């Protein structure tokens, strides 16, 4: 599995996600700069977390218009798997690769903790390594993770099984108590129509190695490898 990680001014999770991809695949990950206009042939493109362009204007809005994102959109249209985490999720929505938007947390406070999630759909290259309804814990760290979307699109997302992960409380119940940011329907991650693009606010690369004290995010990366085998 060959992969690339896109780096913008202000990205700060590119090495973490590159290490995760390299460890599961055995291949060196390409780090691509936002001004690049081409990428080598890869199977997976990751858009990492951080604060691209300092979160000025609107989170992800400036990064979404970087030259490299034209290439990302072209590759996504050809079926290359694309994963966006946290700021990467914001960038993918701003780029039009995923519907909806990420706005300020309902509390107006930055949230940094491990949250409980329910795996909603295992029929994707990113989640096939989980079991349906599995409860996992993944760290979040964001000030703008409140996922919003219009009613018609929300109905399609839910009806088509395009919700990947949903926030729950410690007992696995989907309710307001388990929602760290006010996201619509407790949505923590979604797929595009073909389930080849995933955006998620929690950081699976921070729950990858036993040294993290938690390996619940590892299956996101091993799922990608298995789907390409």
């Amino acid at each position: 599995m060959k992969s690339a990680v896109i780096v913008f001014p202000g990205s700060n999770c590119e090495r973490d996600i590159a290490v995760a991809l390299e460890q599961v695949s055995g291949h060196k990950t390409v780090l691509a700069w936002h001004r690049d206009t081409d990428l080598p042939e890869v199977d997976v493109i990751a858009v990492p977390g951080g604060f691209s362009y300092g979160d000025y204007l609107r989170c992800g809005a400036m990064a979404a218009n970087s030259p490299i994102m034209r290439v990302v959109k072209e590759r996504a249209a050809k079926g290359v798997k694309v994963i966006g985490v946290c700021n990467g999720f914001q960038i993918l929505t701003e780029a039009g690769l995923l519907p909806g938007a990420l706005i300020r947390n309902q509390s107006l406070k930055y949230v940094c903790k491990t949250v409980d999630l329910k795996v909603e759909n295992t029929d994707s290259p990113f989640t096939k390594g989980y079991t349906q309804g599995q409860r996992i814990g993944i760290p979040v760290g964001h000030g703008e993770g409140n996922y919003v979307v219009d009613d018609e699109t929300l109905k399609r997302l839910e009806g088509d099984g395009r919700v990947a992960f949903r926030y729950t409380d410690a007992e696995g119940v989907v309710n307001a108590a388990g929602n760290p940011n006010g996201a619509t329907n407790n949505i923590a991650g979604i797929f595009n129509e073909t389930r080849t693009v995933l955006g998620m606010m929690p950081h699976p690369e921070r729950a990858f190695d036993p040294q993290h004290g938690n390996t619940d995010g590892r299956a996101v990366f091993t799922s990608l490898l298995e789907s390409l085998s």
Side-chain angles (χ1 to χ4, degrees), residues 42-198:
V42 295
D43 304 299
V44 177
I45 298 172
V47 186
F51 304 92
S52 58
Y53 295 92
D55 280 353
Y56 290 115
L57 181 61
R58 198 174 57 235
C59 293
M62 295 174 72
N65 290 284
S66 293
I68 194 62
M69 287 306 296
R70 286 196 289 271
V71 183
V72 174
K73 288 192 276 190
E74 289 170 2
R75 297 295 176 86
K78 294 178 179 177
V80 172
K81 312 299 184 291
V82 178
I83 178 173
V85 174
C86 196
N87 188 217
F89 186 11
Q90 296 161 346
I91 293 168
L92 294 185
T93 59
E94 290 286 347
L97 285 169
L98 290 170
L102 285 308
I103 64 172
R104 289 285 291 172
N105 295 344
Q106 201 168 58
S107 65
L108 302 182
K109 296 180 180 177
Y110 188 88
V111 176
C112 184
K113 63 180 182 179
T114 294
V115 298
D116 295 295
L117 300 173
K118 176 184 177 185
V119 179
E120 288 286 355
N121 194 313
T122 58
D123 185 20
S124 85
F126 307 93
T127 55
K128 63 186 300 182
Y130 294 107
T131 57
Q132 190 75 31
Q134 184 176 347
R135 288 168 53 193
I136 58 176
I138 305 284
V140 296
H142 58 250
E144 301 193 14
N146 183 354
Y147 182 72
V148 295
V149 66
D150 66 82
D151 290 344
E152 183 178 340
T153 306
L154 177 63
K155 187 176 180 180
R156 286 204 303 273
L157 285 174
E158 296 282 6
D160 295 344
R162 290 167 55 192
V163 176
F165 303 101
R166 213 182 296 272
Y167 301 111
T168 75
D169 66 14
E171 304 302 319
V173 179
V174 177
N175 57 27
N179 191 335
N181 48 43
T184 302
N185 286 10
N186 282 46
I187 290 173
I190 58 169
F191 305 116
N192 68 338
E193 291 183 352
T194 56
R195 299 182 192 171
T196 52
V197 177
L198 168 68

